[in-house]
Amino acid sequence: MLSAEKILELKLKANEIRKETVKTIASIGVGHIGGSLSVADVMAVLYFDEMKVDPKNPKWDGRDWLVVSKGHSGPAIYSTLAIKGFFDREMLYTLNKPNTNLPSHCDMRKTPGIDMTTGSLGQGASAAAGIALGNKMDGKDDTYTYLILGDGESQEGQVWEMAMFAAHRKLGNLIGFTDYNKLQIDGATDDVCSLGDIVAKYKAFGWDCVMVNGHDVAAIHDAIEAAKTVKDKPSMIILDTIKGKGISALEGKASCHNANINAEQCAEYVAELDAEAEAIKEGK
């Protein structure tokens, strides 16, 4: 169980990730803001509480791995890595610009701290299962592979092929998250292609699976710790989230999947997040 001090720290880290993400996207004027904001809390828990990583040695052999299969959440991942110290924050403002090392979708060949190139939806899932299997075969029993999927992405058949494979291989070192914000680029996931009872689906595929509030850092932490006790099957944590979380003008709108942000909007959004940070510090 997390201490009150750690919960405060992680809430503020998630807020900081959101602010850097907003400012980064605003620097180019457009980007995948909605699904980036919805994963800020899990990113805070992973990089500032759970994962074994070394910002000075991104390819450290003893590290935990993260595969963000919904690679268009790159802006949030980059913000997290910069805050953690993998690279200078000024580099964030090169996002998706000529000769950048921060392309719109995650690229392991360009960005320190990115473990797998992603963006073609579904393929990151297979990569994560392969990484987890490789580490298991190498006897790295205390090395975890974390996977982040989108709910719209989970309409891809490749995700469920991976689910069968990972269960068959008993990959207890694979812990996945589904960003269940219930919206995708074309609208509500229930309207495009409903996932039905996603918890029951993963359980039927042989996974340990729970759903938690994806914006509650303590709940995310507890779910990860519980998943680590499951050694004979992979685990999936369904994060019940809000697309565009933290920015009232964007929250719960499919249109924020990829949206324009001008200087005036950026100032407004950052001010809203600054106010949230003060409320967090006051225990509200």
Side-chain angles (χ1 to χ4, degrees):
M1 182 176 294
L2 290 177
S3 66
E5 291 79 9
K6 191 64 176 181
I7 291 172
L8 174 62
E9 176 194 340
L10 294 178
K11 285 182 175 180
L12 289 173
K13 288 297 184 185
N15 176 276
E16 188 178 2
I17 291 167
R18 288 189 170 97
K19 278 190 284 192
E20 290 292 355
T21 301
V22 166
K23 291 189 289 184
T24 300
I25 291 176
S27 72
I28 193 170
V30 64
H32 290 99
I33 186 68
S36 292
L37 294 177
S38 59
V39 299
D41 304 280
V42 70
M43 292 303 298
V45 174
L46 286 173
Y47 277 91
F48 298 95
D49 181 53
E50 288 288 346
M51 287 180 65
K52 295 179 300 178
V53 295
D54 182 356
K56 303 304 180 187
N57 183 14
K59 299 298 184 183
W60 171 44
D61 191 53
R63 75 189 186 280
D64 290 327
W65 293 60
L66 175 65
V67 179
V68 184
S69 192
K70 46 171 286 182
H72 55 278
S73 289
I77 316 310
Y78 302 150
S79 294
T80 305
L81 293 173
I83 293 167
K84 186 68 176 178
F86 280 84
F87 50 83
D88 192 90
R89 292 198 195 203
E90 288 303 309
M91 184 171 155
L92 291 173
Y93 299 99
T94 70
L95 175 70
N96 217 23
K97 293 177 181 176
N99 302 311
T100 185
N101 285 317
L102 302 179
S104 179
H105 293 65
C106 297
D107 190 332
M108 64 187 288
R109 300 166 301 175
K110 293 181 177 293
T111 312
I114 295 295
D115 289 318
M116 179 53 62
T117 301
T118 55
S120 184
L121 296 178
Q123 292 186 6
S126 298
I131 292 165
L133 177 60
N135 283 331
K136 182 179 179 180
M137 293 173 69
D138 285 343
K140 297 179 181 178
D141 297 327
D142 61 345
T143 295
Y144 284 91
T145 299
Y146 295 95
L147 164 67
I148 299 179
L149 292 161
D151 49 1
E153 176 183 17
S154 297
Q155 296 159 354
E156 297 278 356
Q158 185 166 354
V159 170
W160 300 100
E161 293 174 18
M162 178 281 300
M164 285 190 291
F165 172 84
H168 176 73
R169 293 289 184 168
K170 302 184 186 305
L171 299 181
N173 60 339
L174 175 61
I175 299 176
F177 304 91
T178 300
D179 180 22
Y180 189 50
N181 61 43
K182 297 162 282 292
L183 291 169
Q184 59 192 101
I185 193 169
D186 293 323
T189 53
D190 276 350
D191 293 335
V192 176
C193 189
S194 177
L195 295 171
D197 188 338
I198 191 169
V199 173
K201 276 188 169 67
Y202 271 102
K203 287 183 176 180
F205 273 76
W207 289 52
D208 183 69
C209 186
V210 296
M211 182 181 291
V212 302
N213 180 345
H215 303 306
D216 182 334
V217 293
I220 296 168
H221 163 87
D222 290 349
I224 295 171
E225 289 300 304
K228 287 181 175 179
T229 69
V230 180
K231 304 299 184 182
D232 62 344
K233 61 178 71 173
S235 296
M236 179 60 66
I237 300 168
I238 310 299
L239 301 173
D240 187 6
T241 60
I242 298 170
K243 202 174 186 84
K245 175 66 176 178
I247 306 299
S248 55
L250 303 177
E251 286 188 350
K253 297 179 179 178
S255 58
C256 77
H257 181 88
N258 188 56
N260 296 321
I261 302 180
N262 60 33
E264 182 179 351
Q265 290 169 318
C266 179
E268 176 188 333
Y269 298 166
V270 169
E272 183 174 0
L273 289 166
D274 282 339
E276 181 192 62
E278 289 306 310
I280 292 170
K281 292 174 186 175
E282 293 171 6
K284 297 179 181 178

